[in-house]
Structure formats: C-alpha cells, structure tokens
Amino acid sequence: MTTQVRPDPAAQAAPAAANPPMGAQLSAALPEWWPVLAGLAALFLPTMFSLFTGAWVGEEQAHGPMIFALALWLAWRKWPGVLAQPAAPSWLGWPLLTVGLALHLLGRSQHILMFEIGSIILVLAAIVLAKLGAPALRVLWFPFFFMLFMVPLPSEFVAAVTMPMKMAVSWATEHLLFAAGYPIARSGVILQIGQYQLLVADACAGLQTLLTLEALGLFYLNLMRHPSAFRNIGLAILIIPISFSANVIRVITLTLVTYYLGDAAGQGFLHGFAGMVLFLTALVLILAVDSSLQWYVARRRGGDR
C-alpha cells in the first residue's frame, strides 16, 4: 500500500512570497523613496537639459548619453542583488552627499562641466550609502565606476595627450595607404591624398575616443563575466591597441571616401557613418581578441591537464 503525499499549497507559495517580483518591491518602496527621487529630479533635470542641448550634442562628448544610459541599465540589472543585501545605512553617506551637492553648486554656477557631471556620481553613491549601506554600494560599484567615463577631463590634459595620438594615427594611415599604392603624403596631422587635404581632428583620434572604446570594452567584460583573470586583464589592456587600430581604420575610411567621392561626401553624411565604422570595428576586434584569449586559456588548461 502506497501513500501519496500532496504538496502543501502554503509551502509552495512561501518562496514566491519571500521573493516578490521586482515591480511589487519597487511599489512597496515608493512611499519611502519618492522624496529622494523628487529631490534628484529637481537637482539634476536642469543639468540633463543643459547636457542634452549642449555638451552631449557635440562629437567630443557624444558618448555621454550612451555611458549614462548603460550605467542606469547596469544598475537596474543589479538591483535584485542590492535588495538581497541586508540594509545597513551608513553615516558616511551624509558627508559624501555634502561634497556632491557642493560640487554640483560649484560646477553649475561656474559652468565647470567636469564638476557638474561628477556630482551626479557622488550624489547617487551617497544616497545608496546613506539609505542602503556599504553592501549595496559594493553590488553597484561597476555602474558607478562606469559613469566616470562620461566625466570630461581637463582640456589641457586632453590636448596634451591627444596630439601624440593624432600624430600616430596620421602616420599609420599614411604608411598603410602609401603601401597600398595611393598618392598620399603627410605634414603633421594633415594628410594630402590626390588633390584633397584632410585634417585629422580630435574626434577622429583623440583621448575621448580612446576612453569611449575602453568603456565599451569594460562593459563587454562586465556582461561576459569570464572566470579567467588572465582573460579579463588581457582584454582590458588590449583595448588600448584595439582603439588605436579602430581609429586608424576610421581615418583610412574617411580618406578613401574623400579620395573617391569628393570632399563633400567625406565631410557630410559619410563622416558620421565613419563614426559607426569606428565602433563596429572596435566591437569586432574586441570579439576577435576575446575569442583568441579564450582559445589560449582553453589550450593552456588542456596542456596543464
């Protein structure tokens, strides 16, 4: 004689009750968080309006909206992990909040973009620390670190680093096209191909482009979460030559477009298309290098066995 044990409906419902959906958790937390959200909106909506109608429209800071959107998406993706941490509000959040508000006031009043954007990161981190504690901040460390890539660097530093990069990209473009048989010459960062002259601008081979591609690579690493430290560190370092190669390919593309289709095509729609070529090239190179590192790690592990 066999006895069938029927599952207890209350026991089955317990895990669901212990882990309610994200929407239900947000609705339950809304009464506590709406003053904070209202304060953030009053503080930063004018800043966002200024950025979307000013700095983020130009080529040099055009990566800002992408970085900010990806950082918010990463924070949303990690939010269940934040809710799983025990709430441990820390008093350290309040002095950090004071520094962030002072930085925002200084940046907003004196039009210092680096301070104004940097204050967004400090204020958000301070709120997480003051409301939820250090464990929650540890879960969200990468989104906050990722937002650092949207903070503009001092113009003097950017200019000092960008010029050698432009010289190197111009040199590589000249030698590659000359080896391919094109009538090209170079004077500094000015390329002469046929009857056309092209100036390699900061947006084509500058520090901001390097930082944007580095952010793209780190975002890819965070999504993949490789267990191999060698693979993660190797790809993070190799993103620098990947960025250089992508910049060279972009300048070569613009040069050839100008040579075959004229100056108007090179400076018009196809110039923006060359920017897409830059990021697609960088993405393909990142995937290729990552696959090569994966093959190397797998081969080394096989050899160890």
Side-chain angles (χ1 to χ4, degrees), residues 72-123:
L72 292 180
W73 180 79
L74 285 171
W76 175 265
R77 188 167 176 259
K78 293 177 180 292
W79 198 252
V82 172
L83 297 178
Q85 301 296 319
S90 173
W91 64 270
L92 293 174
W94 297 107
L96 185 62
L97 180 62
T98 303
V99 173
L101 293 175
L103 200 64
H104 177 76
L105 178 62
L106 181 61
R108 186 74 179 164
S109 61
Q110 303 301 315
H111 304 287
I112 304 176
L113 196 60
M114 181 174 65
F115 289 173
E116 193 171 358
I117 296 179
S119 67
I120 298 174
I121 305 172
L122 286 180
V123 169

mmCIF file of all heavy atoms in Angstrom, residues 72-123:
data_model
loop_
_atom_site.group_PDB
_atom_site.id
_atom_site.type_symbol
_atom_site.label_atom_id
_atom_site.label_comp_id
_atom_site.label_asym_id
_atom_site.label_seq_id
_atom_site.Cartn_x
_atom_site.Cartn_y
_atom_site.Cartn_z
ATOM 1 N N LEU A 72 22.797 53.220 -16.055
ATOM 2 C CA LEU A 72 21.486 53.050 -15.425
ATOM 3 C C LEU A 72 20.951 51.640 -15.683
ATOM 4 O O LEU A 72 20.343 51.025 -14.791
ATOM 5 C CB LEU A 72 20.505 54.097 -15.950
ATOM 6 C CG LEU A 72 20.795 55.554 -15.555
ATOM 7 C CD1 LEU A 72 19.739 56.476 -16.157
ATOM 8 C CD2 LEU A 72 20.831 55.711 -14.040
ATOM 9 N N TRP A 73 21.177 51.126 -16.893
ATOM 10 C CA TRP A 73 20.714 49.763 -17.195
ATOM 11 C C TRP A 73 21.456 48.735 -16.346
ATOM 12 O O TRP A 73 20.855 47.771 -15.843
ATOM 13 C CB TRP A 73 20.917 49.473 -18.678
ATOM 14 C CG TRP A 73 20.472 48.099 -19.073
ATOM 15 C CD1 TRP A 73 19.199 47.675 -19.311
ATOM 16 C CD2 TRP A 73 21.311 46.939 -19.239
ATOM 17 N NE1 TRP A 73 19.190 46.338 -19.626
ATOM 18 C CE2 TRP A 73 20.467 45.852 -19.589
ATOM 19 C CE3 TRP A 73 22.678 46.728 -19.124
ATOM 20 C CZ2 TRP A 73 20.961 44.580 -19.834
ATOM 21 C CZ3 TRP A 73 23.173 45.460 -19.370
ATOM 22 C CH2 TRP A 73 22.320 44.403 -19.728
ATOM 23 N N LEU A 74 22.769 48.936 -16.170
ATOM 24 C CA LEU A 74 23.543 48.027 -15.320
ATOM 25 C C LEU A 74 23.062 48.081 -13.871
ATOM 26 O O LEU A 74 22.957 47.046 -13.204
ATOM 27 C CB LEU A 74 25.027 48.395 -15.388
ATOM 28 C CG LEU A 74 25.776 48.006 -16.666
ATOM 29 C CD1 LEU A 74 27.159 48.625 -16.665
ATOM 30 C CD2 LEU A 74 25.868 46.490 -16.807
ATOM 31 N N ALA A 75 22.752 49.300 -13.378
ATOM 32 C CA ALA A 75 22.243 49.424 -12.005
ATOM 33 C C ALA A 75 20.899 48.725 -11.857
ATOM 34 O O ALA A 75 20.647 48.050 -10.848
ATOM 35 C CB ALA A 75 22.125 50.903 -11.633
ATOM 36 N N TRP A 76 20.022 48.877 -12.845
ATOM 37 C CA TRP A 76 18.722 48.187 -12.811
ATOM 38 C C TRP A 76 18.918 46.672 -12.837
ATOM 39 O O TRP A 76 18.216 45.931 -12.136
ATOM 40 C CB TRP A 76 17.886 48.645 -13.995
ATOM 41 C CG TRP A 76 16.580 47.921 -14.147
ATOM 42 C CD1 TRP A 76 16.319 46.839 -14.928
ATOM 43 C CD2 TRP A 76 15.356 48.212 -13.467
ATOM 44 N NE1 TRP A 76 15.019 46.438 -14.803
ATOM 45 C CE2 TRP A 76 14.395 47.271 -13.911
ATOM 46 C CE3 TRP A 76 14.982 49.175 -12.540
ATOM 47 C CZ2 TRP A 76 13.083 47.272 -13.449
ATOM 48 C CZ3 TRP A 76 13.673 49.177 -12.087
ATOM 49 C CH2 TRP A 76 12.744 48.233 -12.540
ATOM 50 N N ARG A 77 19.875 46.215 -13.640
ATOM 51 C CA ARG A 77 20.144 44.778 -13.753
ATOM 52 C C ARG A 77 20.665 44.203 -12.437
ATOM 53 O O ARG A 77 20.396 43.055 -12.102
ATOM 54 C CB ARG A 77 21.159 44.575 -14.872
ATOM 55 C CG ARG A 77 21.423 43.141 -15.278
ATOM 56 C CD ARG A 77 22.188 43.127 -16.592
ATOM 57 N NE ARG A 77 22.556 41.776 -16.969
ATOM 58 C CZ ARG A 77 23.759 41.241 -16.800
ATOM 59 N NH1 ARG A 77 24.714 41.968 -16.232
ATOM 60 N NH2 ARG A 77 24.023 40.017 -17.174
ATOM 61 N N LYS A 78 21.423 44.997 -11.692
ATOM 62 C CA LYS A 78 21.993 44.541 -10.426
ATOM 63 C C LYS A 78 21.095 44.856 -9.228
ATOM 64 O O LYS A 78 21.454 44.491 -8.096
ATOM 65 C CB LYS A 78 23.368 45.203 -10.220
ATOM 66 C CG LYS A 78 24.422 44.754 -11.210
ATOM 67 C CD LYS A 78 25.731 45.501 -10.998
ATOM 68 C CE LYS A 78 26.796 45.047 -11.984
ATOM 69 N NZ LYS A 78 27.235 43.657 -11.743
ATOM 70 N N TRP A 79 19.970 45.515 -9.442
ATOM 71 C CA TRP A 79 19.135 45.928 -8.319
ATOM 72 C C TRP A 79 18.597 44.765 -7.491
ATOM 73 O O TRP A 79 18.498 44.872 -6.266
ATOM 74 C CB TRP A 79 17.999 46.815 -8.799
ATOM 75 C CG TRP A 79 17.372 47.604 -7.691
ATOM 76 C CD1 TRP A 79 16.148 47.421 -7.127
ATOM 77 C CD2 TRP A 79 17.976 48.693 -6.981
ATOM 78 N NE1 TRP A 79 15.939 48.338 -6.133
ATOM 79 C CE2 TRP A 79 17.045 49.131 -6.013
ATOM 80 C CE3 TRP A 79 19.200 49.343 -7.069
ATOM 81 C CZ2 TRP A 79 17.313 50.184 -5.142
ATOM 82 C CZ3 TRP A 79 19.467 50.397 -6.217
ATOM 83 C CH2 TRP A 79 18.533 50.794 -5.262
ATOM 84 N N PRO A 80 18.216 43.619 -8.088
ATOM 85 C CA PRO A 80 17.827 42.487 -7.236
ATOM 86 C C PRO A 80 18.923 42.079 -6.259
ATOM 87 O O PRO A 80 18.640 41.698 -5.118
ATOM 88 C CB PRO A 80 17.534 41.368 -8.246
ATOM 89 C CG PRO A 80 17.138 42.084 -9.489
ATOM 90 C CD PRO A 80 17.983 43.310 -9.513
ATOM 91 N N GLY A 81 20.186 42.155 -6.677
ATOM 92 C CA GLY A 81 21.285 41.871 -5.767
ATOM 93 C C GLY A 81 21.384 42.899 -4.656
ATOM 94 O O GLY A 81 21.769 42.570 -3.530
ATOM 95 N N VAL A 82 21.022 44.154 -4.960
ATOM 96 C CA VAL A 82 21.008 45.187 -3.924
ATOM 97 C C VAL A 82 19.937 44.885 -2.892
ATOM 98 O O VAL A 82 20.156 44.981 -1.675
ATOM 99 C CB VAL A 82 20.771 46.573 -4.562
ATOM 100 C CG1 VAL A 82 20.568 47.633 -3.495
ATOM 101 C CG2 VAL A 82 21.945 46.949 -5.454
ATOM 102 N N LEU A 83 18.742 44.496 -3.367
ATOM 103 C CA LEU A 83 17.642 44.199 -2.453
ATOM 104 C C LEU A 83 17.921 42.960 -1.609
ATOM 105 O O LEU A 83 17.368 42.822 -0.515
ATOM 106 C CB LEU A 83 16.350 44.013 -3.248
ATOM 107 C CG LEU A 83 15.855 45.239 -4.024
ATOM 108 C CD1 LEU A 83 14.601 44.901 -4.813
ATOM 109 C CD2 LEU A 83 15.593 46.416 -3.092
ATOM 110 N N ALA A 84 18.775 42.082 -2.121
ATOM 111 C CA ALA A 84 19.104 40.877 -1.350
ATOM 112 C C ALA A 84 20.084 41.159 -0.212
ATOM 113 O O ALA A 84 20.251 40.309 0.671
ATOM 114 C CB ALA A 84 19.692 39.814 -2.281
ATOM 115 N N GLN A 85 20.723 42.336 -0.236
ATOM 116 C CA GLN A 85 21.678 42.670 0.821
ATOM 117 C C GLN A 85 20.940 43.180 2.070
ATOM 118 O O GLN A 85 19.906 43.830 1.960
ATOM 119 C CB GLN A 85 22.654 43.753 0.337
ATOM 120 C CG GLN A 85 23.455 43.378 -0.879
ATOM 121 C CD GLN A 85 24.378 42.202 -0.622
ATOM 122 O OE1 GLN A 85 25.002 42.109 0.430
ATOM 123 N NE2 GLN A 85 24.449 41.295 -1.579
ATOM 124 N N PRO A 86 21.468 42.893 3.242
ATOM 125 C CA PRO A 86 20.855 43.454 4.457
ATOM 126 C C PRO A 86 21.033 44.965 4.511
ATOM 127 O O PRO A 86 22.128 45.478 4.231
ATOM 128 C CB PRO A 86 21.625 42.757 5.591
ATOM 129 C CG PRO A 86 22.929 42.361 4.977
ATOM 130 C CD PRO A 86 22.641 42.051 3.537
ATOM 131 N N ALA A 87 19.966 45.674 4.823
ATOM 132 C CA ALA A 87 20.034 47.135 4.890
ATOM 133 C C ALA A 87 20.938 47.548 6.059
ATOM 134 O O ALA A 87 20.712 47.139 7.200
ATOM 135 C CB ALA A 87 18.640 47.729 5.058
ATOM 136 N N ALA A 88 21.953 48.336 5.759
ATOM 137 C CA ALA A 88 22.886 48.799 6.787
ATOM 138 C C ALA A 88 23.264 50.244 6.498
ATOM 139 O O ALA A 88 24.380 50.529 6.053
ATOM 140 C CB ALA A 88 24.132 47.913 6.832
ATOM 141 N N PRO A 89 22.317 51.194 6.690
ATOM 142 C CA PRO A 89 22.600 52.608 6.382
ATOM 143 C C PRO A 89 23.867 53.096 7.086
ATOM 144 O O PRO A 89 24.106 52.793 8.252
ATOM 145 C CB PRO A 89 21.359 53.334 6.902
ATOM 146 C CG PRO A 89 20.280 52.293 6.895
ATOM 147 C CD PRO A 89 20.965 51.006 7.224
ATOM 148 N N SER A 90 24.672 53.838 6.345
ATOM 149 C CA SER A 90 25.947 54.310 6.871
ATOM 150 C C SER A 90 25.940 55.831 6.967
ATOM 151 O O SER A 90 25.487 56.523 6.044
ATOM 152 C CB SER A 90 27.096 53.844 5.961
ATOM 153 O OG SER A 90 28.327 54.407 6.357
ATOM 154 N N TRP A 91 26.477 56.366 8.053
ATOM 155 C CA TRP A 91 26.575 57.811 8.224
ATOM 156 C C TRP A 91 27.575 58.428 7.252
ATOM 157 O O TRP A 91 27.538 59.640 7.000
ATOM 158 C CB TRP A 91 26.983 58.142 9.656
ATOM 159 C CG TRP A 91 28.367 57.636 10.018
ATOM 160 C CD1 TRP A 91 28.687 56.432 10.557
ATOM 161 C CD2 TRP A 91 29.608 58.335 9.821
ATOM 162 N NE1 TRP A 91 30.049 56.321 10.722
ATOM 163 C CE2 TRP A 91 30.641 57.478 10.282
ATOM 164 C CE3 TRP A 91 29.950 59.582 9.316
ATOM 165 C CZ2 TRP A 91 31.982 57.841 10.246
ATOM 166 C CZ3 TRP A 91 31.288 59.950 9.266
ATOM 167 C CH2 TRP A 91 32.285 59.087 9.734
ATOM 168 N N LEU A 92 28.450 57.595 6.665
ATOM 169 C CA LEU A 92 29.420 58.116 5.707
ATOM 170 C C LEU A 92 28.751 58.674 4.450
ATOM 171 O O LEU A 92 29.359 59.461 3.717
ATOM 172 C CB LEU A 92 30.407 57.016 5.312
ATOM 173 C CG LEU A 92 31.359 56.528 6.411
ATOM 174 C CD1 LEU A 92 32.172 55.346 5.923
ATOM 175 C CD2 LEU A 92 32.281 57.664 6.854
ATOM 176 N N GLY A 93 27.493 58.257 4.221
ATOM 177 C CA GLY A 93 26.798 58.780 3.060
ATOM 178 C C GLY A 93 26.505 60.267 3.154
ATOM 179 O O GLY A 93 26.458 60.965 2.134
ATOM 180 N N TRP A 94 26.337 60.782 4.383
ATOM 181 C CA TRP A 94 25.964 62.199 4.548
ATOM 182 C C TRP A 94 27.107 63.148 4.214
ATOM 183 O O TRP A 94 26.897 64.134 3.479
ATOM 184 C CB TRP A 94 25.410 62.429 5.947
ATOM 185 C CG TRP A 94 24.159 61.643 6.175
ATOM 186 C CD1 TRP A 94 24.005 60.529 6.954
ATOM 187 C CD2 TRP A 94 22.875 61.882 5.577
ATOM 188 N NE1 TRP A 94 22.717 60.056 6.883
ATOM 189 C CE2 TRP A 94 22.004 60.868 6.049
ATOM 190 C CE3 TRP A 94 22.393 62.836 4.695
ATOM 191 C CZ2 TRP A 94 20.672 60.802 5.678
ATOM 192 C CZ3 TRP A 94 21.063 62.774 4.313
ATOM 193 C CH2 TRP A 94 20.214 61.766 4.801
ATOM 194 N N PRO A 95 28.339 62.939 4.716
ATOM 195 C CA PRO A 95 29.418 63.824 4.254
ATOM 196 C C PRO A 95 29.690 63.700 2.758
ATOM 197 O O PRO A 95 30.024 64.685 2.098
ATOM 198 C CB PRO A 95 30.627 63.382 5.085
ATOM 199 C CG PRO A 95 30.265 62.089 5.698
ATOM 200 C CD PRO A 95 28.786 62.050 5.802
ATOM 201 N N LEU A 96 29.534 62.478 2.212
ATOM 202 C CA LEU A 96 29.714 62.313 0.767
ATOM 203 C C LEU A 96 28.638 63.081 0.008
ATOM 204 O O LEU A 96 28.918 63.699 -1.037
ATOM 205 C CB LEU A 96 29.671 60.828 0.411
ATOM 206 C CG LEU A 96 29.957 60.465 -1.047
ATOM 207 C CD1 LEU A 96 31.366 60.896 -1.441
ATOM 208 C CD2 LEU A 96 29.774 58.972 -1.279
ATOM 209 N N LEU A 97 27.398 63.082 0.536
ATOM 210 C CA LEU A 97 26.325 63.837 -0.089
ATOM 211 C C LEU A 97 26.616 65.335 -0.037
ATOM 212 O O LEU A 97 26.353 66.064 -1.003
ATOM 213 C CB LEU A 97 25.004 63.528 0.616
ATOM 214 C CG LEU A 97 23.767 64.250 0.083
ATOM 215 C CD1 LEU A 97 23.503 63.868 -1.369
ATOM 216 C CD2 LEU A 97 22.546 63.931 0.950
ATOM 217 N N THR A 98 27.165 65.805 1.080
ATOM 218 C CA THR A 98 27.514 67.224 1.200
ATOM 219 C C THR A 98 28.550 67.629 0.160
ATOM 220 O O THR A 98 28.437 68.681 -0.483
ATOM 221 C CB THR A 98 28.046 67.511 2.616
ATOM 222 O OG1 THR A 98 27.066 67.127 3.586
ATOM 223 C CG2 THR A 98 28.376 68.984 2.781
ATOM 224 N N VAL A 99 29.570 66.781 -0.015
ATOM 225 C CA VAL A 99 30.593 67.061 -1.020
ATOM 226 C C VAL A 99 29.986 67.067 -2.424
ATOM 227 O O VAL A 99 30.287 67.945 -3.251
ATOM 228 C CB VAL A 99 31.733 66.024 -0.933
ATOM 229 C CG1 VAL A 99 32.719 66.197 -2.081
ATOM 230 C CG2 VAL A 99 32.451 66.139 0.406
ATOM 231 N N GLY A 100 29.100 66.110 -2.690
ATOM 232 C CA GLY A 100 28.467 66.050 -4.006
ATOM 233 C C GLY A 100 27.610 67.267 -4.296
ATOM 234 O O GLY A 100 27.646 67.816 -5.411
ATOM 235 N N LEU A 101 26.832 67.721 -3.305
ATOM 236 C CA LEU A 101 25.992 68.903 -3.506
ATOM 237 C C LEU A 101 26.840 70.161 -3.695
ATOM 238 O O LEU A 101 26.514 71.024 -4.525
ATOM 239 C CB LEU A 101 25.043 69.066 -2.320
ATOM 240 C CG LEU A 101 23.972 67.982 -2.170
ATOM 241 C CD1 LEU A 101 23.169 68.197 -0.894
ATOM 242 C CD2 LEU A 101 23.050 67.938 -3.385
ATOM 243 N N ALA A 102 27.922 70.279 -2.917
ATOM 244 C CA ALA A 102 28.810 71.432 -3.075
ATOM 245 C C ALA A 102 29.471 71.428 -4.461
ATOM 246 O O ALA A 102 29.619 72.484 -5.100
ATOM 247 C CB ALA A 102 29.872 71.423 -1.976
ATOM 248 N N LEU A 103 29.856 70.234 -4.917
ATOM 249 C CA LEU A 103 30.469 70.122 -6.245
ATOM 250 C C LEU A 103 29.476 70.502 -7.333
ATOM 251 O O LEU A 103 29.823 71.175 -8.314
ATOM 252 C CB LEU A 103 30.972 68.697 -6.449
ATOM 253 C CG LEU A 103 32.042 68.475 -7.522
ATOM 254 C CD1 LEU A 103 33.330 69.201 -7.146
ATOM 255 C CD2 LEU A 103 32.316 66.989 -7.690
ATOM 256 N N HIS A 104 28.221 70.087 -7.148
ATOM 257 C CA HIS A 104 27.188 70.441 -8.130
ATOM 258 C C HIS A 104 26.949 71.947 -8.148
ATOM 259 O O HIS A 104 26.810 72.551 -9.231
ATOM 260 C CB HIS A 104 25.896 69.708 -7.794
ATOM 261 C CG HIS A 104 24.754 70.067 -8.704
ATOM 262 N ND1 HIS A 104 24.655 69.591 -9.998
ATOM 263 C CD2 HIS A 104 23.676 70.878 -8.514
ATOM 264 C CE1 HIS A 104 23.573 70.070 -10.565
ATOM 265 N NE2 HIS A 104 22.956 70.858 -9.692
ATOM 266 N N LEU A 105 26.886 72.557 -6.978
ATOM 267 C CA LEU A 105 26.677 74.002 -6.905
ATOM 268 C C LEU A 105 27.813 74.755 -7.580
ATOM 269 O O LEU A 105 27.591 75.702 -8.354
ATOM 270 C CB LEU A 105 26.539 74.427 -5.446
ATOM 271 C CG LEU A 105 26.366 75.928 -5.178
ATOM 272 C CD1 LEU A 105 25.091 76.439 -5.835
ATOM 273 C CD2 LEU A 105 26.357 76.207 -3.685
ATOM 274 N N LEU A 106 29.048 74.323 -7.319
ATOM 275 C CA LEU A 106 30.201 74.976 -7.922
ATOM 276 C C LEU A 106 30.222 74.782 -9.433
ATOM 277 O O LEU A 106 30.453 75.735 -10.196
ATOM 278 C CB LEU A 106 31.486 74.430 -7.291
ATOM 279 C CG LEU A 106 32.803 75.014 -7.790
ATOM 280 C CD1 LEU A 106 32.861 76.503 -7.516
ATOM 281 C CD2 LEU A 106 33.986 74.302 -7.151
ATOM 282 N N GLY A 107 29.984 73.553 -9.861
ATOM 283 C CA GLY A 107 30.005 73.282 -11.297
ATOM 284 C C GLY A 107 28.891 73.976 -12.041
ATOM 285 O O GLY A 107 29.096 74.494 -13.147
ATOM 286 N N ARG A 108 27.701 74.028 -11.442
ATOM 287 C CA ARG A 108 26.555 74.649 -12.100
ATOM 288 C C ARG A 108 26.703 76.162 -12.179
ATOM 289 O O ARG A 108 26.407 76.773 -13.205
ATOM 290 C CB ARG A 108 25.279 74.283 -11.330
ATOM 291 C CG ARG A 108 23.977 74.741 -11.979
ATOM 292 C CD ARG A 108 23.647 73.892 -13.173
ATOM 293 N NE ARG A 108 22.404 74.306 -13.783
ATOM 294 C CZ ARG A 108 22.015 73.961 -15.004
ATOM 295 N NH1 ARG A 108 22.795 73.185 -15.735
ATOM 296 N NH2 ARG A 108 20.876 74.368 -15.502
ATOM 297 N N SER A 109 27.183 76.758 -11.098
ATOM 298 C CA SER A 109 27.287 78.218 -11.059
ATOM 299 C C SER A 109 28.463 78.735 -11.873
ATOM 300 O O SER A 109 28.391 79.818 -12.465
ATOM 301 C CB SER A 109 27.409 78.691 -9.606
ATOM 302 O OG SER A 109 28.578 78.163 -9.002
ATOM 303 N N GLN A 110 29.551 77.973 -11.923
ATOM 304 C CA GLN A 110 30.753 78.416 -12.632
ATOM 305 C C GLN A 110 30.917 77.758 -14.004
ATOM 306 O O GLN A 110 31.947 77.945 -14.657
ATOM 307 C CB GLN A 110 31.996 78.116 -11.780
ATOM 308 C CG GLN A 110 31.969 78.752 -10.407
ATOM 309 C CD GLN A 110 31.848 80.261 -10.485
ATOM 310 O OE1 GLN A 110 32.533 80.903 -11.268
ATOM 311 N NE2 GLN A 110 30.970 80.822 -9.651
ATOM 312 N N HIS A 111 29.920 76.956 -14.409
ATOM 313 C CA HIS A 111 29.940 76.289 -15.714
ATOM 314 C C HIS A 111 31.172 75.400 -15.873
ATOM 315 O O HIS A 111 31.855 75.416 -16.904
ATOM 316 C CB HIS A 111 29.878 77.316 -16.848
ATOM 317 C CG HIS A 111 28.702 78.230 -16.773
ATOM 318 N ND1 HIS A 111 27.414 77.818 -17.074
ATOM 319 C CD2 HIS A 111 28.610 79.543 -16.395
ATOM 320 C CE1 HIS A 111 26.581 78.830 -16.903
ATOM 321 N NE2 HIS A 111 27.276 79.894 -16.485
ATOM 322 N N ILE A 112 31.466 74.633 -14.827
ATOM 323 C CA ILE A 112 32.566 73.664 -14.872
ATOM 324 C C ILE A 112 31.938 72.291 -15.091
ATOM 325 O O ILE A 112 31.388 71.672 -14.158
ATOM 326 C CB ILE A 112 33.399 73.692 -13.579
ATOM 327 C CG1 ILE A 112 33.919 75.104 -13.311
ATOM 328 C CG2 ILE A 112 34.569 72.721 -13.681
ATOM 329 C CD1 ILE A 112 34.662 75.238 -11.998
ATOM 330 N N LEU A 113 31.975 71.826 -16.317
ATOM 331 C CA LEU A 113 31.248 70.618 -16.689
ATOM 332 C C LEU A 113 31.759 69.389 -15.943
ATOM 333 O O LEU A 113 30.972 68.506 -15.577
ATOM 334 C CB LEU A 113 31.355 70.409 -18.204
ATOM 335 C CG LEU A 113 30.367 69.432 -18.837
ATOM 336 C CD1 LEU A 113 28.939 69.894 -18.600
ATOM 337 C CD2 LEU A 113 30.642 69.310 -20.326
ATOM 338 N N MET A 114 33.055 69.321 -15.704
ATOM 339 C CA MET A 114 33.624 68.171 -15.009
ATOM 340 C C MET A 114 33.034 68.038 -13.604
ATOM 341 O O MET A 114 32.692 66.940 -13.165
ATOM 342 C CB MET A 114 35.144 68.298 -14.938
ATOM 343 C CG MET A 114 35.845 67.131 -14.260
ATOM 344 S SD MET A 114 37.650 67.246 -14.365
ATOM 345 C CE MET A 114 37.925 68.729 -13.383
ATOM 346 N N PHE A 115 32.883 69.157 -12.886
ATOM 347 C CA PHE A 115 32.315 69.123 -11.538
ATOM 348 C C PHE A 115 30.824 68.812 -11.581
ATOM 349 O O PHE A 115 30.316 68.050 -10.744
ATOM 350 C CB PHE A 115 32.537 70.462 -10.840
ATOM 351 C CG PHE A 115 33.963 70.731 -10.461
ATOM 352 C CD1 PHE A 115 34.348 71.965 -9.956
ATOM 353 C CD2 PHE A 115 34.943 69.755 -10.629
ATOM 354 C CE1 PHE A 115 35.664 72.207 -9.610
ATOM 355 C CE2 PHE A 115 36.262 69.989 -10.281
ATOM 356 C CZ PHE A 115 36.619 71.226 -9.768
ATOM 357 N N GLU A 116 30.127 69.388 -12.548
ATOM 358 C CA GLU A 116 28.675 69.211 -12.613
ATOM 359 C C GLU A 116 28.300 67.764 -12.902
ATOM 360 O O GLU A 116 27.380 67.209 -12.280
ATOM 361 C CB GLU A 116 28.095 70.135 -13.682
ATOM 362 C CG GLU A 116 26.583 70.266 -13.623
ATOM 363 C CD GLU A 116 26.052 71.340 -14.549
ATOM 364 O OE1 GLU A 116 26.872 72.025 -15.217
ATOM 365 O OE2 GLU A 116 24.826 71.503 -14.608
ATOM 366 N N ILE A 117 29.017 67.129 -13.827
ATOM 367 C CA ILE A 117 28.721 65.724 -14.134
ATOM 368 C C ILE A 117 29.253 64.814 -13.031
ATOM 369 O O ILE A 117 28.597 63.837 -12.650
ATOM 370 C CB ILE A 117 29.326 65.349 -15.502
ATOM 371 C CG1 ILE A 117 28.667 66.158 -16.613
ATOM 372 C CG2 ILE A 117 29.155 63.856 -15.779
ATOM 373 C CD1 ILE A 117 29.217 65.881 -17.987
ATOM 374 N N GLY A 118 30.428 65.134 -12.503
ATOM 375 C CA GLY A 118 30.977 64.310 -11.420
ATOM 376 C C GLY A 118 30.100 64.315 -10.185
ATOM 377 O O GLY A 118 30.036 63.313 -9.458
ATOM 378 N N SER A 119 29.379 65.419 -9.947
ATOM 379 C CA SER A 119 28.499 65.480 -8.769
ATOM 380 C C SER A 119 27.351 64.482 -8.876
ATOM 381 O O SER A 119 26.847 64.008 -7.850
ATOM 382 C CB SER A 119 27.946 66.894 -8.600
ATOM 383 O OG SER A 119 27.058 67.236 -9.655
ATOM 384 N N ILE A 120 26.935 64.150 -10.094
ATOM 385 C CA ILE A 120 25.857 63.167 -10.256
ATOM 386 C C ILE A 120 26.272 61.832 -9.660
ATOM 387 O O ILE A 120 25.509 61.178 -8.927
ATOM 388 C CB ILE A 120 25.501 63.011 -11.752
ATOM 389 C CG1 ILE A 120 24.993 64.340 -12.328
ATOM 390 C CG2 ILE A 120 24.469 61.913 -11.954
ATOM 391 C CD1 ILE A 120 24.752 64.302 -13.827
ATOM 392 N N ILE A 121 27.502 61.425 -9.953
ATOM 393 C CA ILE A 121 28.002 60.143 -9.438
ATOM 394 C C ILE A 121 28.107 60.180 -7.923
ATOM 395 O O ILE A 121 27.692 59.244 -7.230
ATOM 396 C CB ILE A 121 29.367 59.827 -10.078
ATOM 397 C CG1 ILE A 121 29.252 59.868 -11.605
ATOM 398 C CG2 ILE A 121 29.874 58.464 -9.621
ATOM 399 C CD1 ILE A 121 30.586 59.753 -12.324
ATOM 400 N N LEU A 122 28.660 61.268 -7.374
ATOM 401 C CA LEU A 122 28.837 61.360 -5.925
ATOM 402 C C LEU A 122 27.504 61.372 -5.194
ATOM 403 O O LEU A 122 27.336 60.695 -4.169
ATOM 404 C CB LEU A 122 29.639 62.623 -5.582
ATOM 405 C CG LEU A 122 31.135 62.595 -5.874
ATOM 406 C CD1 LEU A 122 31.774 63.916 -5.488
ATOM 407 C CD2 LEU A 122 31.808 61.449 -5.140
ATOM 408 N N VAL A 123 26.538 62.120 -5.698
ATOM 409 C CA VAL A 123 25.238 62.216 -5.025
ATOM 410 C C VAL A 123 24.517 60.871 -5.055
ATOM 411 O O VAL A 123 23.969 60.425 -4.039
ATOM 412 C CB VAL A 123 24.381 63.325 -5.674
ATOM 413 C CG1 VAL A 123 22.945 63.263 -5.170
ATOM 414 C CG2 VAL A 123 24.971 64.694 -5.368
#
